[in-house]
Amino acid sequence: MGVDLNEQLNLHPGRTLLLRVCGDSMLGAGIRHGDLLVVDREATPRSGRIVVALLEGGFTLKRLVRRGEHWWLEPANPAYPPLALGGNDDDRLWGVAVHVIRSLPGGR
């Protein structure tokens, strides 16, 4: 009996994709360097959700937070500062992280 990951992870071609995490800024959210993320490009990015954003030409993974009139991207690691969203015209939200996939030690 097989498992259909498309069904289990609610994957939709053209809307969801897998991204490999680089870095440790989201350790406190349980997302580690090397994990795979399922990112939904059509999910609604609300405050509190973990999002992929394009800032200054590079991708970043952070928690989206609204404070007053401004949106922030907050890391889940105190070693990193929050980032203001919208500082540049090219900054934009790119997708919402909806699943994390991690290999267990010795599992590969």
Side-chain angles (χ1 to χ4, degrees), residues 37-96:
L37 288 180
V38 177
V39 176
D40 189 329
R41 297 217 51 207
E42 294 183 11
T44 303
R46 294 186 297 267
S47 186
R49 294 191 90 172
I50 296 174
V51 299
V52 175
L54 185 61
L55 290 181
E56 299 178 4
F59 289 104
T60 189
L61 177 70
K62 302 286 183 284
R63 187 176 306 279
L64 181 65
V65 176
R66 184 172 184 123
R67 288 193 203 117
E69 298 295 317
H70 302 284
W71 289 96
W72 291 85
L73 298 169
E74 291 194 345
N77 183 335
Y80 298 92
L83 304 169
L85 183 63
N88 295 311
D89 290 342
D90 293 334
D91 293 351
R92 66 181 177 275
L93 295 177
W94 196 79
V96 176

Side-chain angles (χ1 to χ4, degrees), residues 9 11 16-20 36-39 99 101:
L9 299 177
L11 301 177
T16 54
L17 54 119
L18 298 175
L19 296 178
R20 178 84 58 193
L36 280 174
L37 288 180
V38 177
V39 176
H99 296 283
I101 301 170

Side-chain angles (χ1 to χ4, degrees), residues 24-25 27-28 75-82:
D24 60 0
S25 69
L27 278 175
N77 183 335
Y80 298 92

